[in-house]
Every structure is written in C-alpha cells, then in structure tokens.
Amino acid sequence: MRVVNTTIAHPPVTTELRGKIRVIAINHAPVNALSSVVREALLRAIELAEAEAQCAAIVLCGAGTDFSGGADIREFGKSGLQPTLPDLCARIEASIKPVIAAIQGVCLGGGFELALSAHYRLAAEDARLGFPEVLLGLMPGAGGTQRSTRLAGARPALDLMLSGRQIAGREALGLGLVDHTVPDGGVTDAAVAYAQEIADKRGVPRRTRDLVAGLAQTESNRLAVEEARAKAGQKFRGQFSPFRIIDAVEAALSTPFDEGMVNERGNFLEALASPQRAGFMHAFLAEREVAKAPEMRIATQRSVASVGVIGGGTMGAGIAVSVLSAGLPVVMIERDEAALARGHGLVDKVFGENVAKGRLGAEDKDQVMSRFSGATRYEALADVDLVIEAAYEDMDVKKQVFAELDRCCKPGCVLATNTSYLDINEIAASISRPEDVIGLHFFSPANIMKLLEIVVPAKVSADVVATGFAFAKVLKKVPVRAGVCDGFIGNRVLATYRLAIDYMVEDGASPYHVDKALRDFGYPMGPLQASDLSGGDIGWATRKRRAVTRDPRQRYVQIADRLCERGWFGQKTGRGWYQYPHGSRIGVPDPEIEAIVEAERQRAGITPRAFEDSEIVRRVMAAMANEGARILEEGIALRPLDIDAVFLHGYGFPRHRGGPMHYADTVGLANVLEDIREFEKDDAFFWRPSPLLVSLVKEGRDFESLNRSPLDAK
Ligand code: 3H9
C-alpha cells in the first residue's frame, strides 16, 4: 500500500491505486474518528485523486474493522480547526470523479455523513450505521439532516436521528441510505469493482444534494415532522438538540439544500456550545473511564464460565436472568423446593415475556433456560467459578451462607455478595478465604439496570477485583468501583439527599411539588415516586437499623414512618406517597398524605413556608455534591466521575446534566458552597460543608480537576 505521508509513523489516511481506482482509507485508531488531521489528509487525498490522470474513480473506506466512529469528540470545543467536516463533505460531493464509500463496521455520526456525501455507498450487511449525535446532546452537523432526509424521507431520517439507534447495512439498504450490501467481508474489493463499473459508464456523479424526489411537502413527510414534534415535547423535555433535529428535517423538506445546510450548521454550533452537550459528553466518557479499574492493570482476571446465585427472590432471579442472557450457565440455590420453584418461575417468566414481546424466539428461550439449574444443597456449587449471594439482608444470614460457600466452593471461586449496605469486611473476615470475597451490588431490576457497584473490601485480592470488572463487561453493565461503607456510593448519597427532601417537606414543600421540581430538572420520576416504586419498607428498615447509631444532633422527620405504620409501602401495596388505584403504575396525589404531612408539621412545631422549584433543586443538588465530596475524601469513590456514573445508571439522574458532580461544576463549586453555607444557618449539623469542597473552592478548582488525577497513583 502506498502511503501518502511517509513522515508520519501512522498516517491518518493511506491511499493505494488499484487499477484505475484510488482507494483512500481513514487510518486513525481506535475508531477512525474524523479528527482535524484526518480531515486535512482526506481533503488532500481527494484533491490529489481528482487531479491524477490514472484515477477514474475513488473508493473511500476505513482501515481496520470500522469505517468511522464520527467526529472526534475530544476535539469538541477547539475552534478554528480546518477543514471543517461540512466543508470536507461538500468537497467530496463536488468531486468530478465518482466517489464510492465502502462501509464496514461502525459508520456513525460524522462518519455516516462522510459516507452520505459520497456519490454511491456499498455496505457490509452487518455494518452498523447511525446518527448517535442526539445521545451526545448534538445533531448531525455535516449535512446528515439534509442528505438522509433526501435519501430516505422524513420519517426514517427522524427516527434515526432522534433515537441514535444503529442500523445494519441490510436495513440501510431498505431505507435507501446505501445502494448495495455485501454479504460479509470484502466490502472494499466489491466497492473497487463497483467503482470500475461506474467509471466505465462515464456518467455524471449522482449528488444527493440535488435529489428532490419525494421531498416536496408530501403528506407523509409533513405528518412525520408533526408527529415527531408532538412526541418530542414529552420525551425530550428540557433538551435542546432533538427539537433542532426536527427543525432541520423540516428545512430539508421545504428549502434548497444550501439553505438547509446553513440552518443545520447554526443549530449544530449552538448545540455544541451548550452545557447539555458537555453533560452528555461527560456521561459518555465517564462510563468508559469507570470500566478501567486500577486492578485491571496489575492483575489477571480469573476465568468465569459458570455462576451460582444464592436466592431466588426478585433480586436473585434478576441476577440469574442477567447472567443467563450473557450466555453463561447459572446454578440457583434456594432453601427448599418450593422457594426454588418460585425462583425458577420468576426467571422463566422474564424470558417468557421477552418471547411474547417478540424480542426472543421460543426456541432461543428453551436454549437459554437449558443453562439454568437449581438445587437446595450448596454442594451443587462445587464447580462454579463465581457465586453471587442475594439472600436476605441480615448479617447472620449472610455469614451462614458464606460459611457454606467456604465449605463447598472450589479454591479460586469468586465469592460475591449483593448486599446493599452490610459490612463486607465483616462477611469476608468470617470465612477462611477473605481474599476471594467481593461485593457485586446490582440494582433492581437486575436484568435491566446497567449499574453494578463493585465493592472492594480490605482483604480482597486484585485478581478478584479485576474479575468483577471483566464479569461486568460480560453482563454489559457499567461497573463502578466503590469502597466499603454503609450504602457504598449510591445508597449513601441517596440517603443524604433524601434527608434534604424530608426536611423540605416538613418545612413546607408539598411532596408532589418536590417530585415535579425534580422531574422538571430532568429526572424521569420524582424521588418520592421512586421510593413508591422500590418500596417504602426498605427505607423504613434502614431508618430503624440506624436509629441506635443516629447522632442526636441529626434532625429526624417522621412523616415517612407515619406512612409505613399504615402499611403504605408504595406501588406494591397500592398506596404510598401516591395512590395507585386498580394496580395502576402511575400514582395520583393523595389528599390524606397532605393531611398527614400537615399534622406532622404541627407536631414538630413548624410553621410551613413556600419553596420555589429552584430552591428544591438547589438543596437536593447541594446535598448530593457535599456527600459526594465526603465519599471522595474517604476514598469510597475513586473520582467524581465514578459518582456521576452511579447516579446516571442507577438512579435516573438526567444524562444531559452529566451527573451530580459534573452538575455541581456547571453551577460552580463556589456557588454550591455558598448555598451550603446559607442552608447551614438553619441546620448546622446536616449542612456541614465537606472539607474537600471547601479546599477546592479555596484553590479555585473544580471536581473535574480530580477526574484527571492519574489512577495509577491509587
Ligand atoms: C459527530 O459525529 C458530529 C458530526 O455530526 C458533526 C461534525 C461537524 N471520537 O466505546 P469504546 C474512543 S458526533 C473520539 O470503548 P467500542 C472512546 O472514548 C460523534 N474518540 O469502543 C474510547 O477511548 P478510550 C458521533 C472516540 O468498540 C475508544 O474510542 N459519534 C470516539 O465499545 C474505544 O471506544 C459517536 O457518538 C469519537 N467519536 O465502541 C460515536 N468514539 O479507549 C461514539 C469512541 O480512551 N462512540 N472513541 O476510553 C461509540 O459509540 C463507540 O465508541 C463505538 C465503539 C461504537 C464507536
């Protein structure tokens, strides 16, 4: 292969003349992102090929397995880098020699836009094409909105750009976004042959910008825009880019190409500069960063080919589903046959529902369930490589289970507990092999929720921690490393901001107002709705457990206890903070709750006051940032971004806000501290500022500065 620039060890673009076809390959690992060096090299390669006498047509492809993962997200915010991607795309489309894109692997965002600016496209059947920009708070900004609408029509274009979903080459062919598919491998060879054919015909290159067919305001295109706008109001509440995507598609239908491009560019740049984009991008990078545990660099993971699950309740069954879905066999242990049958039934039900919804074939379900087995004796775990205990949350119960595991499991078996708050050091110390004991804290429903807290007790060996992270990858979870403390990262911060909410409710805010303010902030449901969903009895048990150790200076609000004493535990009892008539999942406000709250205020001698939405949000966010800073001080979380990932994937924190720590940076840590100092005047115990937060403000630093600290030092 002839290399264009021999002075660079890994040139960002390589080219090769095959007969009369100039093959230009993007060569920028790991995902062929379109960084400025790549764009520059591509522009030069296209111009050279156009001027080259021997070249009759050009094939554009990606070196390695992918076409391109899109614009280089790490270059966002750097201005003035030339050529811009829209300019490069325009130059490719304007080429007087036919350009054929050969698409394999991922072809996303700006990469897809690059391919759409070519005159023809060939894709591998299993290539993955899409516009993920919306998931980064962006929109396609290099003609994607204009060209995809012209090629596929408004409905498919909107679907792709608003969902961010990836489609296979086959589907792209059906939508008219590619011209041909190639069964497997050899896309570039097929594209070269196709380019030769096109060149032999000597036709004028077909330019998507000139396509008008089907564009005129047809009823179906118009309706697609209208429907998308109606749905977006609810689905993308508070977000910027989805609405601009719809505007851009509307512009593609009704204005000339160049005008549509101006509209797209303006909105793209606005989205690029927005805090929402910064929040989304932080979330994207954080979820990749958390997966790189320090132990993965220093230790080799143990092999995990089979898994045991202790307990067939909701959590145990959910974990079993998650493991089975990842292709591993599961042995479930329950205390008796009846409990085992219930656990088996719960697992079977989930896969049965997937069959009913068409997500799984009946035969596939049989195949998955054939990997499930159950037993009432721990000896059945003799050969498994990893066990996850999901038994009742009680230290004595856990210790009994672990004694059995110690007796029956083979040497080297990883022994994990799914406890939400119990001291894993104590569990580990109770058996003969504490180095094998780790916490794998799943979130309910375990087969759906992405978060997996990997809780690292003092004596665990590094290879067990590395195994936990590798196992999370197999389960397609987002693993976050946490230290041992009551509640680890997530439930500890949750407990703190729930206190802030309890105080506001007793001081005058309606529970429904609190929920609405946080929904408007971007949460899918309010914290009290979430409590109704998970069950008020869980928090009640925690409060009782902590009663003995509670600091007498801590203010205690009894409202939630009054609900629990009535047996109002939320959705499962038909009543909690809301009423759920006839098994409904959407709660309705309950006047009796308002009365209970009022009575409690009187009992506590509180004169209620009004709260603005903004104060509700400020108090909740300040409580999260302050407790987050504390767990950083204690080393429970490695970095602020680990806390962000926990809340994004386990607690519904709005992704466009980036997580509680990133959001605090957005507000400004000095402002957060000022809020805390103001709240401290009323409750000096609860609102003590974290020393870390104070010192960061003093030094003019933010949480992000701690994300950059090298992990290797830990
Ligand atoms: C865009 O294109 C805007 C245009 O419309 C308009 C322009 C004017 N840039 O995920 P992985 C890194 S917006 C830079 O673990 P996988 C990633 O951070 C962009 N770096 O691998 C990681 O780095 P590290 C639209 C990127 O195989 C490494 O690559 N495109 C980019 O599981 C491996 O990533 C997107 O939104 C990038 N674009 O998945 C695509 N992408 O090793 C976003 C990845 O240091 N990317 N990296 O942690 C993805 O969805 C997945 O990364 C992908 C590969 C499917 C490509």
Side-chain angles (χ1 to χ4, degrees):
M1 181 175 287
R2 192 172 72 84
V3 170
V4 167
N5 187 344
T6 48
T7 58
I8 301 175
H10 298 289
V13 164
T14 59
T15 86
E16 176 193 18
L17 193 63
R18 290 211 213 161
K20 288 184 182 165
I21 310 302
R22 175 61 68 185
V23 178
I24 301 176
I26 308 163
N27 179 34
H28 195 47
V31 298
N32 287 338
L34 300 168
S35 320
S36 61
V37 286
V38 174
R39 300 195 302 269
E40 211 182 330
L42 275 176
L43 183 65
R44 204 169 56 233
I46 292 280
E47 286 178 345
L48 282 174
E50 230 187 2
E52 188 179 27
Q54 301 97 306
C55 163
I58 300 162
V59 164
L60 192 56
C61 62
T65 52
D66 296 319
F67 184 77
S68 166
D72 185 343
I73 56 176
R74 293 174 205 268
E75 274 186 0
F76 288 163
K78 293 184 190 162
S79 55
L81 300 175
Q82 297 294 333
T84 66
L85 192 57
D87 287 349
L88 174 64
C89 289
R91 183 64 189 83
I92 289 172
E93 194 170 48
S95 164
I96 50 167
K97 292 183 181 169
V99 182
I100 293 92
I103 302 166
Q104 63 185 359
V106 296
C107 175
L108 301 175
F112 196 7
E113 296 181 288
L114 193 74
L116 290 175
S117 69
H119 306 123
Y120 306 92
R121 281 160 294 283
L122 260 70
E125 283 188 354
D126 61 356
R128 288 156 56 197
L129 304 98
F131 291 116
E133 286 89 342
V134 72
L135 307 174
L136 292 175
L138 282 172
M139 59 188 284
T145 62
Q146 304 304 295
R147 292 192 178 94
S148 67
T149 307
R150 278 173 167 73
L151 286 167
R155 195 173 295 277
L158 282 165
D159 166 45
L160 287 180
M161 288 186 276
L162 291 175
S163 68
R165 78 186 176 96
Q166 297 174 12
I167 56 172
R170 286 179 294 272
E171 190 177 345
L173 178 67
L175 294 176
L177 292 166
V178 303
D179 301 289
H180 295 284
T181 52
V182 179
D184 49 7
V187 189
T188 305
D189 291 344
V192 168
Y194 187 66
Q196 188 62 59
E197 233 177 81
I198 301 266
D200 290 345
K201 287 187 192 151
R202 293 176 181 277
V204 179
R206 187 195 62 182
R207 299 192 170 92
T208 304
R209 57 170 288 137
D210 299 333
L211 279 185
V212 280
L215 266 190
Q217 286 272 18
T218 63
E219 185 62 5
S220 80
N221 277 336
R222 198 185 55 71
L223 265 178
V225 170
E226 213 171 90
E227 282 170 26
R229 206 165 260 142
K231 279 194 202 144
Q234 178 62 24
K235 188 168 175 206
F236 299 110
R237 201 157 31 103
Q239 289 186 40
F240 176 78
S241 73
F243 299 93
R244 300 292 91 80
I245 288 172
I246 300 171
D247 293 348
V249 168
E250 194 169 43
L253 297 175
S254 53
T255 60
F257 183 83
D258 289 332
E259 230 173 274
M261 287 299 290
V262 170
N263 170 309
E264 182 195 81
R265 185 73 182 155
N267 282 317
F268 173 81
L269 291 176
E270 205 175 326
L272 189 65
S274 74
Q276 292 193 357
R277 196 274 304 158
F280 273 119
M281 198 160 113
H282 175 76
F284 176 90
L285 294 175
E287 64 209 18
R288 278 158 183 76
E289 224 36 62
V290 289
K292 301 170 190 163
E295 287 82 358
M296 295 195 85
R297 301 185 197 175
I298 56 168
T300 311
Q301 73 213 47
R302 297 181 187 175
S303 139
V304 176
S306 57
V307 174
V309 175
I310 315 296
T314 311
M315 190 48 102
I319 294 171
V321 169
S322 182
V323 178
L324 289 167
S325 304
L328 294 173
V330 168
V331 183
M332 178 181 276
I333 303 289
E334 258 295 0
R335 62 185 177 282
D336 55 37
E337 290 298 338
L340 191 57
R342 267 197 305 277
H344 180 264
L346 284 174
V347 173
D348 193 76
K349 189 168 163 230
V350 175
F351 290 115
E353 283 166 1
N354 286 346
V355 172
K357 286 177 189 158
R359 290 185 195 147
L360 188 72
E363 281 167 19
D364 298 329
K365 181 195 158 204
D366 293 344
Q367 197 272 329
V368 172
M369 285 307 290
S370 73
R371 283 187 267 110
F372 178 90
S373 62
T376 53
R377 294 175 57 83
Y378 283 85
E379 281 77 2
L381 297 177
D383 292 327
V384 301
D385 301 311
L386 183 149
V387 179
I388 305 163
E389 164 279 312
Y392 186 67
E393 282 285 80
D394 176 275
M395 184 55 89
D396 290 339
V397 172
K398 303 276 187 199
K399 283 184 180 169
Q400 278 165 25
V401 170
F402 272 77
E404 290 296 304
L405 298 179
D406 201 6
R407 186 176 65 81
C408 296
C409 293
K410 65 184 180 188
C413 176
V414 174
L415 307 178
T417 171
N418 178 53
T419 182
S420 314
Y421 56 82
L422 292 175
D423 183 350
I424 304 179
N425 285 324
E426 189 178 333
I427 298 174
S430 72
I431 64 168
S432 70
R433 34 176 147 166
E435 67 281 4
D436 292 334
V437 177
I438 191 165
L440 291 181
H441 183 211
F442 289 78
F443 287 70
S444 190
N447 51 314
I448 308 266
M449 297 297 285
K450 286 273 184 206
L451 178 62
L452 183 64
E453 277 183 326
I454 302 210
V455 191
V456 181
K459 297 228 169 107
V460 68
S461 70
D463 63 336
V464 168
V465 180
T467 308
F469 277 83
F471 183 57
K473 190 169 182 193
V474 171
L475 301 190
K476 298 196 172 74
K477 301 280 183 203
V478 175
V480 177
R481 192 183 190 285
V484 176
C485 69
D486 193 341
F488 315 131
I489 297 177
N491 284 342
R492 175 159 159 193
V493 175
L494 167 71
T496 305
Y497 74 79
R498 267 307 307 268
L499 281 180
I501 289 169
D502 289 347
Y503 299 158
M504 282 190 279
V505 170
E506 196 173 62
D507 286 341
S510 147
Y512 309 118
H513 183 189
V514 170
D515 272 359
K516 182 177 177 306
L518 287 160
R519 280 198 309 270
D520 288 349
F521 178 75
Y523 273 94
M525 61 170 75
L528 301 171
Q529 288 172 307
S531 155
D532 272 1
L533 181 64
S534 57
D537 47 335
I538 299 174
W540 197 25
T542 308
R543 292 194 295 280
K544 286 182 194 163
R545 177 170 53 84
R546 291 196 178 135
V548 271
T549 52
R550 187 178 303 124
D551 193 304
R553 291 169 296 172
Q554 186 184 314
R555 175 177 171 192
Y556 188 76
V557 174
Q558 299 180 26
I559 299 171
D561 295 347
R562 296 293 92 80
L563 270 62
C564 292
E565 285 152 13
R566 288 168 168 79
W568 298 354
F569 295 143
Q571 287 196 18
K572 62 184 168 193
T573 57
R575 203 164 183 178
W577 290 97
Y578 294 78
Q579 285 195 36
Y580 299 88
H582 318 298
S584 132
R585 298 207 149 255
I586 310 274
V588 287
D590 182 348
E592 264 192 73
I593 289 287
E594 305 267 19
I596 293 169
V597 169
E598 189 45 46
E600 281 301 308
R601 286 176 189 147
Q602 281 181 18
R603 193 192 52 73
I606 287 168
T607 310
R609 70 170 177 93
F611 282 81
E612 300 276 334
D613 287 19
S614 57
E615 184 179 352
I616 293 172
V617 170
R618 269 168 53 220
R619 282 181 179 262
V620 171
M621 293 302 134
M624 291 181 99
N626 202 34
E627 191 65 16
R630 279 186 203 290
I631 62 178
L632 286 170
E633 280 160 27
E634 293 169 27
I636 299 297
L638 283 180
R639 298 147 301 186
L641 65 80
D642 293 84
I643 303 171
D644 287 334
V646 163
F647 282 89
L648 291 166
H649 292 283
Y651 297 82
F653 196 95
R655 196 171 168 85
H656 65 275
R657 310 259 189 201
M661 310 307 271
H662 175 86
Y663 179 73
D665 276 352
T666 313
V667 171
L669 292 193
N671 295 325
V672 174
L673 183 60
E674 200 179 309
D675 274 349
I676 293 174
R677 297 245 192 254
E678 184 195 323
F679 307 148
E680 198 185 4
K681 289 179 195 150
D682 297 332
D683 185 345
F685 180 74
F686 180 74
W687 287 108
R688 279 166 305 161
S690 126
L692 173 66
L693 181 62
V694 173
S695 68
L696 286 174
V697 170
K698 204 164 162 191
E699 293 162 24
R701 293 169 62 197
D702 55 11
F703 284 133
E704 179 58 24
S705 67
L706 301 175
N707 287 332
R708 288 193 290 268
S709 60
L711 261 186
D712 309 59
K714 300 255 173 197

